[in-house]
Amino acid sequence: MRHRNVKNKALLGGIMLLAAAGIAGCGSSGGGKGGQVIVYNWGEYIDPDTIEMFEEETGIEVVYDEFETNEIMYPKVESGAASYDVVCPSDYMISKMIANDMLAELNFDNIPNAKKNIGAQYYEQSKGFDPENQYAIPYCWGTVGILYNKTMVDEPITSWAQLWDEKYADNILMQDSVRDAFMVAEKLNGFSMNTTDPQELETAKNSLIEQKPLVQAYVIDQVRDKMIGNEAAIGVIYSGEAIYTQRENPDLEYVIPEEGTNVWIDSWVILKDAPNKENAEKFIDFMCRGDIAVKNFEYITYSTPNDAARELIEDEDIRNSEIAFPDLSKFNNLETFVYLGEDGDALYNELWKEVKSN
């Protein structure tokens, strides 16, 4: 769904206990004195030191596996080919897993740090895909907005509409992603980014086709390097990437457009058939500790929803950054992606093909 990291990190190495025997069949009888917990997470999305600390403090062995995309993760979990306990999906995929009865309802009494440390605004945003906050605990989050070069524009950028301004022709970078691209056009036209209304989607498609001659490139990771190198004036980007680009090029500014945007959230969940549910609760509770969450924030660089961790960030500019930690209550029309069903996904993909081939 999004680029995970802007820096090369060391591999988890010995922490990844994925020998030929695999994860399948692992259970609480194995591992250390406290048994095991089997975790499935994005690549380079946790500080390996925190896993070692958890093992030392609890005696619970962490069996750790990584995935590259939600779409790779889902079928592996659904098939039961591996018996995972804790998984870290994105918002819309959590919605799909809830719909398909794959997740265990959380007992927050056993995860007190999640109740105490995760900010209320992040649980509020999570209701878009977990309406009763029953299944998911926010782990990392961010927004999608516009990054612009102050020396290459005539006025401050505040609106998605400015991505349709002909004076920026060949200086605009769009995300090469169906949902992200359509989100921009949907917000531009006053629609929900989760709409499946055929007329609204046709309007959004036509807006993207109208914009296409102005677009220098549809990119993913390259938006970062192009904006740092002054190769474009305006680009659609994830907030975590924007923080990095500003460090490299002080002429860059990030804004959440006035029409609203996507607030994405990756969250810890426990699978309904988790073989080590008690240890899974202990693992999530540990990761929600302020001192542990700040270590993960510093390693990953994406924003933490953990208020206790934010207080521990030593860099005052980062701790008070309106990019890393915007007050979401100040913005209108913020949404999280939800699962649209197979028919909805197919419709979006077909319309995106029309945009790209037009």
Side-chain angles (χ1 to χ4, degrees), residues 30-332:
K33 62 184 180 182
Q36 294 181 326
V37 60
I38 308 165
V39 180
Y40 199 20
N41 194 10
W42 296 87
E44 300 180 358
Y45 214 39
I46 201 167
D47 185 337
D49 289 347
T50 64
I51 296 180
E52 293 180 357
M53 292 168 65
F54 174 77
E55 291 181 322
E56 290 172 3
E57 288 191 23
T58 65
I60 297 169
E61 175 191 20
V62 178
V63 181
Y64 196 89
D65 196 4
E66 296 180 341
F67 58 87
E68 294 180 354
T69 69
N70 286 290
E71 286 68 31
I72 290 174
M73 174 277 297
Y74 182 85
K76 190 172 181 181
V77 171
E78 182 186 40
S79 70
S83 299
Y84 297 111
D85 298 304
V86 178
V87 185
C88 187
S90 300
D91 31 54
Y92 71 98
M93 190 56 71
I94 293 172
S95 177
K96 180 176 182 178
M97 296 172 85
I98 292 172
N100 291 328
D101 196 27
M102 295 171 62
L103 302 182
E105 188 169 335
L106 298 173
N107 183 346
F108 280 85
D109 290 338
N110 296 334
I111 316 173
N113 285 320
K115 294 173 64 176
K116 180 174 66 173
N117 294 337
I118 304 301
Q121 67 174 339
Y122 307 108
Y123 281 121
E124 187 63 30
Q125 286 299 130
S126 296
K127 288 182 179 179
F129 57 89
D130 180 12
E132 303 297 326
N133 293 133
Q134 293 175 303
Y135 299 99
I137 295 174
Y139 175 55
C140 290
W141 75 284
T143 60
V144 178
I146 299 174
L147 187 71
Y148 66 96
N149 190 311
K150 291 178 286 187
T151 70
M152 299 174 68
V153 299
D154 295 336
E155 71 286 303
I157 303 299
T158 60
S159 168
W160 292 121
Q162 288 165 285
L163 296 177
W164 273 257
D165 193 326
E166 292 186 359
K167 67 186 173 186
Y168 299 122
D170 202 39
N171 259 316
I172 297 169
L173 301 174
M174 285 287 288
Q175 287 285 320
D176 191 10
S177 160
V178 54
R179 292 297 297 274
D180 286 326
F182 267 84
M183 180 275 292
V184 173
E186 286 158 349
K187 290 298 184 184
L188 172 76
N189 287 288
F191 307 146
S192 167
M193 67 186 199
N194 293 306
T195 184
T196 55
D197 181 276
Q199 283 190 317
E200 292 182 348
L201 288 174
E202 188 71 16
T203 298
K205 180 199 75 173
N206 289 334
S207 291
L208 291 171
I209 291 173
E210 176 190 348
Q211 181 206 33
K212 190 175 179 182
L214 308 179
V215 175
Q216 180 192 114
Y218 295 91
V219 293
I220 301 177
D221 298 348
Q222 303 97 315
V223 64
R224 182 179 69 248
D225 299 328
K226 281 180 171 287
M227 293 299 295
I228 290 172
N230 300 316
E231 295 179 40
I234 306 174
V236 179
I237 199 168
Y238 290 100
S239 55
E241 301 284 282
I243 294 170
Y244 173 76
T245 61
Q246 283 190 319
R247 290 175 180 169
E248 300 296 313
N249 185 340
D251 290 330
L252 300 177
E253 191 73 38
Y254 177 82
V255 63
I256 295 174
E258 59 195 19
E259 299 93 344
T261 192
N262 169 25
V263 176
W264 61 263
I265 301 177
D266 294 338
S267 301
W268 297 118
V269 300
I270 297 175
L271 295 179
K272 191 171 186 179
D273 58 355
N276 308 289
K277 185 176 181 181
E278 182 178 338
N279 288 347
E281 294 171 335
K282 291 178 180 178
F283 178 84
I284 294 174
D285 190 60
F286 184 84
M287 291 300 160
C288 289
R289 255 174 45 184
D291 60 324
I292 300 302
V294 75
K295 284 178 66 67
N296 282 325
F297 167 72
E298 291 169 350
Y299 183 89
I300 300 166
T301 74
Y302 276 97
S303 300
T304 175
N306 193 301
D307 288 345
R310 183 180 175 185
E311 292 178 4
L312 297 173
I313 297 172
E314 295 182 0
D315 187 325
E316 186 175 350
D317 289 340
I318 293 296
R319 186 172 65 250
N320 297 323
S321 168
E322 293 184 4
I323 299 175
F325 301 106
D327 181 354
L328 299 181
S329 66
K330 294 182 178 180
F331 300 94
N332 297 318

Side-chain angles (χ1 to χ4, degrees), residues 196 201 339-350:
T196 55
L201 288 174
Y339 174 56
L340 302 176
E342 292 184 7
D343 290 343
D345 284 350
L347 178 56
Y348 268 81
N349 289 332
E350 184 60 35

